[in-house]
């Protein structure tokens, strides 16, 4: 437990703030990488997922892609890219985007699929065009599952962003890798604790959002647990 | 007037749901398609608003082929009520009813006010307007479904087994309500059911369908009951089992009607108004 | 290519080390999840609590967990046992849910029929419910197996032997083909284990067509039939 006390001492030591390698700087980097990755991955995965969900085509492709990414070791993939594009943020961002896409994709299309086909049918029969069906029926009703997908992706990305510093990407992983190099276990532990807190904070944040976005009126008719099961597979790399 | 001319529908899976179907559906009357599953009745209904496209043949509404309009515009001009109401679960009752007018560009406030009036029309209390569909009973949901079907003030109302999923007591309430509505509104209603009693109750014109959209008989309930066209119709309407062949029997407490097996089926009363259709 | 030929022995050793670390968590999480899944399904309350607890454990990132675990269980930082335990925790977190879902998916009528023909509660569980939950368990364990094999590589940054060592070594010595080899062999290993699991599943459950790892919901997508 001594180490644990030392780790917390490390976290609360004022010396570790206000410098270029300060905890708040690394924390900020970690959050920024994670946020950027989530935004990029969402911009790619949500439209594609919606397309799959609305048309019902390409589902096999999405499942295959997700399975492939699950087997792909992110560490190796990131390092390989880093050898190509050089050290820094580029390689971690590409690798993490690839990692994050399957969860968001699954959230997007399974959200559409969860909408009762009769509801869609009646919307069409009323005279909604395809775009209106997507915007007014499928998107709002599929939102809880999409947020579930984003939640899983966020957890994966925050966890795995720890590896970013291995190729010079900064973030909280810096304390872990610096600690490994200097055999400084309390520093490693401090970095680890910070990442764990961040991951849990993300879970809490998204569970609140998830509760907020359930369209009023469907709370009664829906199972409470709206996580995307299939995409929860590989959350915690890093 | 809706006219089917040699309409066929072959689904991609190879089922020939409807083959060379021709029929005239008169305006401002209720026409009921009745048949068992596989008779193509829902397919026929859904071809009118092009939810299902015909493989061959044409359907004309008041002399205009349905293909003259874009499918989306056509659907907005035709009311549609389905089983399980098909209401949008995330919209309040009043917004569900106002959906089509809003799609058509009616200002939201105006559309909501009109929707409230429609709730009165279908016999729903305005206090339900702000509820969500999941907070209503099955019967109430169907009434909202009917109100929504009427919202754009269409000439034609398509009803696909709208009362199929509610319990018998509520169903007969809704049926009576629909008869009242039709008297007031004078729409062209095309109604699909597998329940022959419902067909006879609601239909001015009843179309009995055999498998594959083959017309077994078209006529008023009276015509069909008095002269079933063939054995299929007789069996379907229950005439064969004697359920429809009633006779008067005198009993100690008064005259009753019995079927051919002697079971009590009803009592004889004076006809007060109107003619039997 | 040259690099692979010259380092066949190293790759072989690392494959062995990798499997030694990755296989126990897969097997452990499968068997440990059965009592957890049973218990989760037994009572309404326990389901929520148990599955939430494991979902929270799953939220702990793996590299930090590799570092925190030695503190809790008193091992060395480079002891592979840390990785084995951490991956077992993740495996259970995923698998407990699959097991609970699988058991819940058994038709209550079948369960009652089993009781009616004279199965005791225990024999009904082992001989009726668990086998019938099999396809869902299989789908779950396939996900666990593939992600476990992939995750095992992360230990390399702490110096724990696995195919991940090819990534760290290749990075330090700037040998892309070494890293690529590591990726390809890891994926191949994952696919091989996945294939093996499917074969075992077919052997044990000849009555059932194997459900894909993504679940078989395609039927839901069928357009509302209009042939009534």
């Amino acid at each position: 437990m001594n180490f644990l006390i030392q780790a917390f001492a490390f976290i609360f030591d004022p010396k570790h703030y206000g410098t270029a390698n300060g905890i708040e700087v690394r924390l900020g980097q970690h959050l920024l990488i994670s946020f950027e990755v989530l935004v990029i991955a969402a911009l790619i995965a949500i439209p594609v997922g919606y397309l799959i969900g609305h048309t019902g085509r390409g589902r096999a492709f999405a499942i295959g892609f997700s399975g492939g990414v699950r087997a792909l070791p992110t560490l190796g993939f990131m390092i390989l890219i880093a050898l190509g594009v050089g050290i820094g943020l580029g390689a971690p961002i590409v690798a993490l985007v690839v990692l994050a896409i399957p969860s968001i994709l699954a959230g997007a299309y399974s959200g559409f699929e969860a909408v009762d086909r009769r509801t869609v049918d009646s919307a069409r029969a009323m005279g909604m065009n395809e775009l209106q069906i997507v915007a007014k029926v499928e998107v709002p009703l599929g939102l809880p599952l999409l947020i579930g997908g984003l939640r899983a992706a966020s957890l994966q990305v925050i966890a795995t962003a720890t590896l970013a510093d291995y190729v010079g990407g900064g973030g909280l992983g810096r304390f872990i890798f610096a600690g490994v190099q200097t055999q400084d276990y309390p520093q490693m532990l401090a970095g680890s604790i910070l990442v764990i807190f961040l991951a849990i904070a993300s879970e809490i944040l998204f569970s609140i959002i998830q509760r907020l976005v359930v369209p009023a009126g469907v709370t009664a008719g829906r199972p409470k647990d709206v996580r995307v099961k299939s995409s929860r597979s590989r959350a915690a790399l890093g | 007037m809706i006219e089917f001319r040699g309409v066929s529908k072959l689904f991609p899976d190879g089922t020939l749901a409807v083959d060379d179907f021709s029929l005239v559906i008169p305006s401002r009357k209720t026409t009921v398609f009745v048949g068992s599953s596989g008779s193509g009745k829902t397919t026929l209904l859904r071809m009118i608003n092009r939810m299902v496209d015909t493989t061959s043949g044409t359907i004309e509404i008041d002399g205009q082929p349905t293909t003259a309009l874009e499918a989306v515009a056509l659907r907005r001009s035709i009311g549609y009520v389905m089983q399980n109401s098909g209401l949008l679960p995330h919209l309040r009752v009043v917004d569900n009813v106002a959906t089509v007018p809003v799609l058509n560009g009616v200002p939201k406030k105006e559309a909501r006010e009109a929707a409230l009036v429609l709730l009165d029309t279908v016999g729903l209390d305005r206090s339900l307007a702000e509820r969500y569909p999941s907070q209503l009973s099955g019967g109430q949901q169907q009434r909202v479904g009917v109100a929504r079907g009427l919202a754009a003030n269409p000439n034609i109302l398509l009803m696909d087994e709208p009362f199929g999923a509610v319990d018998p007591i509520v169903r007969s309430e809704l049926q009576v309500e629909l008869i009242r509505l039709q008297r007031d509104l004078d729409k062209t209603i095309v109604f699909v059911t597998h329940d022959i009693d419902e067909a006879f109750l609601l239909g001015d014109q009843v179309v009995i369908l055999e498998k594959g959209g083959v017309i077994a008989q078209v006529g008023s309930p009276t015509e069909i009951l008095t002269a079933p066209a063939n054995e299929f119709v007789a069996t379907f309407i229950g005439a064969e089992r004697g359920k429809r062949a009633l006779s008067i029997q005198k009993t100690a407490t008064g005259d009753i009607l019995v079927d051919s097996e002697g079971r009590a089926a009803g009592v004889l009363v004076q006809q007060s108004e109107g003619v039997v259709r | 290519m040259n690099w692979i030929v010259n380092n066949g022995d190293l790759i072989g050793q690392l494959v062995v080390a990798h499997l030694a670390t990755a296989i126990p968590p897969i097997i452990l999480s499968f068997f440990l999840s059965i009592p957890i899944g049973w218990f989760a399904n037994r009572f309404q309350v326990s389901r929520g609590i148990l599955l939430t607890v494991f979902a929270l454990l799953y939220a702990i990132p793996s590299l930090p967990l590799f570092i925190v675990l030695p503190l809790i269980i008193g091992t060395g930082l480079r002891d592979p046992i840390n990785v084995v335990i951490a991956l077992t925790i993740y495996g259970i977190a995923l698998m407990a849910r699959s097991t609970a879902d699988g058991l819940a998916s058994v038709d209550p009528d079948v369960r009652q029929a089993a009781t009616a023909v004279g199965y005791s509660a225990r024999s009904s569980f082992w001989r009726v419910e668990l086998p019938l939950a099999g396809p869902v368990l299989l789908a779950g364990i396939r996900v666990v197996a593939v992600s476990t094999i992939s995750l095992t590589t992360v230990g390399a940054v702490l110096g724990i032997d696995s195919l991940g060592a090819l990534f760290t070594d290749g990075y330090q010595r700037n040998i892309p083909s070494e890293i690529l080899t590591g990726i390809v062999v890891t994926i191949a290993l994952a696919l091989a284990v996945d294939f093996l699991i499917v074969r075992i599943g077919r052997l044990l459950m000849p009555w059932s067509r194997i459900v894909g790892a993504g679940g078989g919901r395609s039927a839901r997508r069928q357009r509302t039939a209009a042939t009534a």
Side-chain angles (χ1 to χ4, degrees):
Chain A
M1 282 303 114
N2 227 352
F3 282 131
L4 198 61
I5 294 165
Q6 289 175 31
F8 277 105
F10 182 96
I11 293 172
F12 292 112
D13 189 342
K15 270 200 319 230
H16 297 134
Y17 290 87
T19 65
N21 188 32
I23 289 175
E24 83 285 7
V25 177
R26 296 302 176 194
L27 192 72
Q29 287 175 340
H30 204 102
L31 284 172
L32 192 66
I33 299 170
S34 306
F35 183 72
E36 283 173 2
V37 166
L38 273 183
V39 170
I40 298 170
L43 285 177
I44 299 167
I46 293 176
V48 177
Y50 278 176
L51 200 68
I52 293 172
H54 183 71
T55 61
R57 291 188 195 143
R59 195 166 184 275
F61 162 79
I63 291 173
F65 177 73
S66 305
V69 171
R70 193 180 295 135
L72 177 74
T74 304
L75 176 65
F77 183 50
M78 182 183 77
I79 291 175
L80 191 65
I81 301 170
L83 285 189
V85 303
I87 59 168
L89 271 176
I93 284 181
V94 174
L96 291 173
V97 165
V98 171
L99 180 72
I101 283 176
S103 297
I104 303 175
L105 195 66
Y109 76 72
S110 61
F112 274 26
E113 283 179 356
V115 179
D116 193 331
R117 285 299 106 189
R118 288 174 308 198
T119 305
V120 175
D121 189 68
S122 93
R124 190 171 285 123
M126 271 194 293
M128 286 196 187
N129 61 36
E130 298 307 302
L131 213 62
Q132 286 164 334
I133 291 172
V134 170
K136 295 184 184 216
V137 181
E138 291 178 319
V139 167
L141 289 176
L143 212 49
L145 280 170
L146 174 67
I147 304 291
L150 283 167
R151 170 182 177 165
S154 168
L155 183 63
Q156 284 171 297
V157 169
I158 287 175
T160 316
T162 314
L163 295 177
D165 192 62
Y166 194 79
V167 292
L172 289 169
R174 166 56 60 93
F175 299 115
I176 294 177
F177 292 115
V180 170
Q181 264 160 21
T182 58
Q183 305 270 329
D184 181 354
Y185 189 66
Q187 186 178 349
M188 273 184 248
L189 203 54
S192 303
I193 290 167
L194 289 168
V195 178
I196 291 169
F197 273 131
L198 215 53
I200 292 173
S202 155
E203 281 289 275
I204 294 172
L205 178 72
F206 273 98
S207 69
I208 294 169
I209 298 176
Q210 243 174 332
R211 219 154 285 173
L212 293 179
V213 298
V214 178
V218 293
T219 339
R222 234 171 223 275
K224 257 188 221 139
D225 195 338
V226 284
R227 276 155 192 255
V228 182
K229 247 186 293 163
S230 58
S231 63
R232 299 263 318 152
S233 50
R234 195 167 170 262
L237 231 167
Chain B
M1 190 175 79
I2 305 169
E3 186 169 4
F4 286 80
R5 278 207 207 121
V7 171
S8 300
K9 177 63 192 179
L10 180 69
F11 280 103
D13 66 359
T15 347
L16 188 63
V18 175
D19 191 16
D20 194 22
F21 180 91
S22 298
L23 179 76
V24 174
I25 294 174
S27 294
R28 302 178 192 286
K29 300 273 186 229
T30 302
T31 296
V32 181
F33 287 137
V34 59
S36 343
S37 52
S39 62
K41 55 189 190 296
T42 297
T43 304
L44 286 168
L45 184 83
R46 289 164 71 91
M47 283 196 289
I48 297 173
N49 69 347
R50 287 177 60 195
M51 285 295 284
V52 173
D53 280 316
T54 53
T55 310
S56 62
T58 55
I59 300 172
E60 289 181 358
I61 296 175
D62 296 331
Q64 275 258 36
T66 52
T67 44
L69 272 177
E70 221 195 321
V72 167
L74 177 77
R75 288 171 198 156
R76 283 186 200 174
S77 70
I78 296 176
Y80 190 90
V81 185
M82 64 195 285
Q83 194 176 359
N84 297 309
S85 77
L87 299 176
L88 302 180
H90 58 303
L91 297 186
R92 292 171 196 279
V93 165
V94 59
D95 292 317
N96 258 295
V97 176
T99 309
V100 181
V102 169
L103 287 179
N104 282 335
V106 176
K108 199 159 183 177
K109 200 168 165 237
E110 206 173 298
R112 288 178 119 239
E113 265 161 34
L116 289 176
V117 175
L118 273 169
L119 290 184
D120 300 340
T121 313
V122 298
L124 278 175
D125 198 288
R126 287 192 182 200
S127 67
L128 299 177
E130 296 300 316
R131 299 239 184 123
Y132 289 102
S134 61
Q135 298 169 308
L136 302 184
S137 70
Q140 289 170 330
Q141 290 185 21
Q142 282 313 128
R143 284 171 193 259
V144 178
V146 174
R148 185 178 66 176
L150 295 171
N153 196 20
N155 292 324
I156 299 171
L157 192 59
L158 306 180
M159 307 185 84
D160 185 6
E161 303 208 34
F163 311 142
V166 294
D167 66 69
I169 296 174
V170 177
R171 188 183 313 152
S172 54
E173 262 175 44
L174 292 170
Q175 287 166 345
V176 171
E177 196 74 16
L178 182 64
I179 293 170
R180 179 187 65 78
L181 262 180
Q182 171 63 347
R183 210 161 40 214
D184 296 346
L185 299 173
D186 238 10
K187 304 283 183 197
T188 305
I189 296 180
V190 187
F191 193 104
V192 161
T193 181
H194 59 259
D195 177 357
I196 186 68
D197 292 318
E198 188 169 63
F200 283 162
L201 177 68
L202 301 174
D204 298 303
Q205 170 175 266
V206 174
V207 182
I208 297 182
L209 295 165
E210 286 183 57
K211 219 163 190 52
V214 175
I215 297 179
Q217 188 169 5
V218 183
S220 71
T222 309
E223 285 163 4
I224 293 174
L225 270 171
T226 50
N230 54 34
E231 205 156 303
F232 176 83
V233 176
T235 313
F236 196 83
I237 65 176
E240 212 178 41
R241 278 166 293 147
K243 271 176 69 184
R244 306 266 181 202
L246 306 177
S247 57
I248 301 171
Q249 198 167 59
K250 299 199 181 302
T251 71
T253 47
D255 294 353
I256 64 161
L257 287 169
V258 293
D259 65 16
S260 61
E261 288 177 4
R263 287 201 198 87
V267 292
L268 202 59
V269 293
Q270 282 295 320
Q271 182 81 27
S272 55
E273 55 167 316
V275 270
V276 176
R277 287 178 296 196
Chain C
M1 269 315 174
N2 247 345
W3 186 89
I4 301 174
V5 176
N6 296 333
N7 293 274
D9 284 354
L10 175 68
I11 298 171
Q13 279 168 28
L14 291 176
V15 166
V16 171
H18 198 101
L19 287 176
T21 313
I23 298 297
I26 299 172
I27 295 171
L28 281 172
S29 55
F30 182 81
F31 286 103
L32 291 176
S33 295
I34 292 175
I36 297 170
W38 175 82
F39 194 69
N41 244 16
R42 193 74 188 72
F43 311 101
Q44 197 69 45
V45 187
S46 55
R47 182 183 172 89
I49 296 173
L50 268 179
L51 295 182
T52 308
V53 165
F54 279 103
L56 278 180
L57 283 177
Y58 200 65
I60 304 172
S62 63
L63 179 57
L65 188 57
F66 295 162
I67 292 168
V68 173
L69 266 178
L71 185 72
I72 299 167
I73 56 177
T75 44
L77 184 61
R78 301 217 163 128
D79 198 329
I81 203 83
N82 302 328
V83 179
V84 171
I85 291 176
L87 293 179
T88 306
I89 291 174
Y90 296 138
I92 294 174
L94 286 173
M95 203 50 210
R97 183 163 205 108
S98 293
T99 310
D101 287 349
L103 290 173
S105 75
V106 176
D107 188 339
D109 286 348
V110 172
R111 213 174 298 157
Q112 287 193 4
T115 314
V117 299
Y119 280 101
S120 68
R122 177 182 303 199
S123 58
S124 166
F125 178 78
W126 290 107
R127 296 198 190 173
V128 179
E129 294 171 45
L130 200 61
L132 286 180
V136 182
L137 299 195
L138 184 78
I141 201 63
R142 288 177 67 187
V143 172
V144 170
V146 171
S147 48
T148 299
I149 288 170
S150 166
L151 268 177
T152 302
T153 57
V154 175
V157 298
L158 298 177
I160 301 166
D161 264 355
S162 71
L163 286 167
L166 298 179
F167 305 153
T168 50
D169 188 63
Y171 181 53
Q172 273 147 23
R173 291 161 57 198
N174 202 359
I175 310 174
S177 55
E178 181 175 2
I179 298 167
L180 199 58
T181 306
I183 294 175
V184 171
V185 177
T186 306
I187 293 176
L189 220 52
L191 292 180
V193 171
D194 184 53
F195 179 75
L196 194 71
I197 291 174
V198 172
R199 290 313 293 259
I200 294 173
R202 283 214 185 120
L203 215 62
L204 294 178
M205 300 181 289
W207 68 86
S208 127
R209 280 205 57 214
I210 305 305
V211 182
R217 258 199 305 172
S218 54
R220 288 216 49 175
R221 280 302 316 186
Q222 303 271 326
R223 271 198 62 186
T224 326
T227 44

